[in-house]
Amino acid sequence: MMWQTRSVGSAETERLGEALGRLLKAPAVLELKSDLGGGKTTFVRGLARGMGSPDTVTSPTFVLNNIYHSKVEPWKIHHFDFYRLSEPGLLSDQLRESLSDPKVITVVEWSRIVKDVLPDDRITVRLQPTAGDPEERDITFEYPESRSDIIKKLETEWITVKP
Ligand SMILES: Nc1ncnc2c1ncn2[C@@H]1O[C@H](COP(=O)(O)OP(=O)(O)OP(=O)(O)O)[C@@H](O)[C@H]1O
Ligand SMILES: [Mg+2]
């Protein structure tokens, strides 16, 4: 299943992430896809805030993965980025651990080398620049039936939070 919307500017992408962060409960898996600088980490910044986390969201480049704790929910986000790795190695073991932890929302950027590890029950978010404005992104959510309730809610909420 699929839902597509458009964001104009990073603040809007963050707000969309934030709306999903308010709705999503652990366990859950989010796969983020775009070219370099497409807005994946920006989306995660909103996601963490929506879950109630005061933690700073950065690209997990020099650490294995970033963890964002929530002040209100009993779950947390594990944020992975496989961009620099040609071989998943130790990070793949960490990913497996996250995926088996019911208290974790697992978020993955540059998932290509671990795509066999990711479950079918995941939401894939694709960000694509549009032909015109460099601040515009077409954002597509691909999801299984089991996640259709949450995406419907996101769609409804987006109408009210999108300016
Ligand atoms: N609509 C938009 N949504 C998200 N980011 C946008 C948008 N318009 C412009 N930008 C800019 O694009 C950049 C996105 O950077 P970000 O780190 O989120 O991308 P990324 O996909 O995580 O990159 P990488 O592949 O390097 O991890 C930021 O500089 C942001 O300000
Ligand atoms: Mg990133």
Side-chain angles (χ1 to χ4, degrees), residues 4 31-32 35 39-40 46 55 59 67-68 72 77 88 92 96 106-107 111 118 139 148 152 156 161:
Q4 188 176 67
E31 181 187 29
L32 292 158
D35 287 336
K40 300 180 292 298
D55 300 337
S59 303
I67 298 175
Y68 314 123
V72 290
I77 291 172
S92 161
R96 279 172 216 271
T106 305
V107 177
S111 58
L118 296 181
I139 305 182
S148 62
K152 265 198 202 84
T156 309
V161 297

Side-chain angles (χ1 to χ4, degrees), residues 7 9-10 13 34-42 109-110 135 137:
S7 140
S10 57
T13 298
S34 76
D35 287 336
L36 274 175
K40 300 180 292 298
T41 301
T42 302
E109 294 186 40
W110 296 104
E135 296 268 293
R137 303 285 188 274

Side-chain angles (χ1 to χ4, degrees), residues 93-119:
D93 295 338
Q94 290 227 357
L95 176 63
R96 279 172 216 271
E97 255 175 60
S98 289
L99 293 170
S100 64
D101 188 332
K103 291 267 186 263
V104 169
I105 293 175
T106 305
V107 177
V108 187
E109 294 186 40
W110 296 104
S111 58
R112 198 178 41 86
I113 60 169
V114 291
K115 71 175 189 315
D116 296 344
V117 181
L118 296 181

